[in-house]
Amino acid sequence: MTTASSARAPLARVSGAPRARGTPRPPPLVSEGWQVVATYRTRPPAAGDRNGDISWVRFDAAEDRSTTDLGAAVDACTGRLRAVFACIGAPSAKKTVTETGISEFESVHHANVLSFVRTWHAVVQRARHDGASVLAVGSDAGLAARPGNGPYTAAKAALASLVITLAKEEQRHGVRVNLLAPSLIDSPLARHVMTLKGVTDPDTHYKQLPWGRPLALDEVAAACIDLATAPHWSYVTGQIYPLGAAV
């Protein structure tokens, strides 16, 4: 990360990368010459998955130290911080509001909302100095309330409001902030969530979706990277972009 080439390379901060849950994973950025600071919470990437242009940092939205450690990792890189991808999230147990305990509301809020706040607190000075673009990954659940999804819907709706607020606050510093809200993504997490919902045959469920399939991880990653880094999006800030099809 300290070679002459990496010192000139643009820098991205990516959260949620190891789980590949529909987030902008580091490899597409690295293959285009970017430096990446990526985070994990419980399981660091295996040695065979590591790349010299990716710095891995443990990050937990419930720990104050995570903000400090992430900020230090970003500051250790000398390239311009062009993009901040905030993609950490966690589902709820898919119970009704009546059946859901306060502790679950708190944990889902931590994962989906406070992780974004900690990320911003960690990079704010560098993001302002470099004129970074911030892209949060939400969910279409934040745009449509569904029975049995109260904690998650509330958290994603809060994240959307936070993104719009931050965009208005940071525009004078040259920082753009937007949110991508994808629909169902084909991932291990999605299959776990469907199990919680009582779906026993995910493939059959997928065939009932628009186009007969869910979103692919690579589709979401490409949309995230384009929205955050492509010059033709440079005017856009404070926007919520659904990524899906009409049902």
Side-chain angles (χ1 to χ4, degrees):
M1 298 291 290
T2 58
T3 65
S5 61
S6 65
R8 293 189 299 269
L11 173 65
R13 183 276 191 228
V14 181
S15 65
R19 297 298 184 89
R21 294 178 172 178
T23 65
R25 295 166 287 172
L29 294 169
V30 171
S31 65
E32 296 175 8
W34 286 63
Q35 302 174 75
V36 172
V37 175
T39 65
Y40 66 91
R41 187 173 71 88
T42 57
R43 290 181 293 178
D49 295 331
R50 294 177 181 268
N51 183 295
D53 286 325
I54 304 176
S55 296
W56 292 97
V57 182
R58 184 178 178 277
F59 184 84
D60 190 324
E63 299 177 359
D64 292 338
R65 181 176 176 179
S66 289
T67 303
T68 302
D69 290 348
L70 178 58
V74 170
D75 287 342
C77 300
T78 56
R80 176 193 169 198
L81 180 61
R82 284 190 55 199
V84 178
F85 296 97
C87 317
I88 296 173
S92 63
K94 306 309 173 187
K95 298 178 182 178
T96 66
V97 172
T98 302
E99 297 169 331
T100 303
I102 294 298
S103 61
E104 182 174 333
F105 275 94
E106 291 176 339
S107 64
V108 172
H109 187 81
H110 266 282
N112 293 282
V113 183
L114 298 189
S115 63
F116 178 78
V117 177
R118 282 201 185 277
T119 295
W120 177 246
H121 285 177
V123 304
V124 53
Q125 297 304 325
R126 185 69 173 275
R128 287 175 174 177
H129 180 272
D130 294 351
S133 171
V134 180
L135 193 284
V137 176
S139 168
D140 66 343
L143 306 174
R146 303 181 182 103
N149 209 27
Y152 187 71
T153 295
K156 290 304 186 184
L159 176 62
S161 295
L162 192 60
V163 163
I164 295 172
T165 300
L166 188 64
K168 293 179 178 180
E169 294 174 347
E170 296 302 319
Q171 187 173 3
R172 65 190 178 95
H173 296 291
V175 175
R176 297 191 302 115
V177 190
N178 294 290
L179 182 139
L180 188 72
S183 57
L184 184 64
I185 303 166
D186 187 11
S187 67
L189 178 62
R191 290 177 179 265
H192 171 66
V193 170
M194 284 189 286
T195 299
L196 294 175
K197 291 180 176 180
V199 177
T200 58
D201 187 352
D203 291 331
T204 298
H205 178 77
Y206 286 163
K207 292 177 182 178
Q208 300 170 2
L209 299 174
W211 314 120
R213 65 173 181 84
L215 282 163
L217 286 168
D218 287 343
E219 288 178 303
V220 180
C224 287
I225 293 170
D226 188 74
L227 183 58
T229 67
H232 50 261
W233 291 106
S234 61
Y235 189 84
V236 172
T237 190
Q239 302 300 311
I240 310 299
Y241 289 98
L243 182 61
V247 178

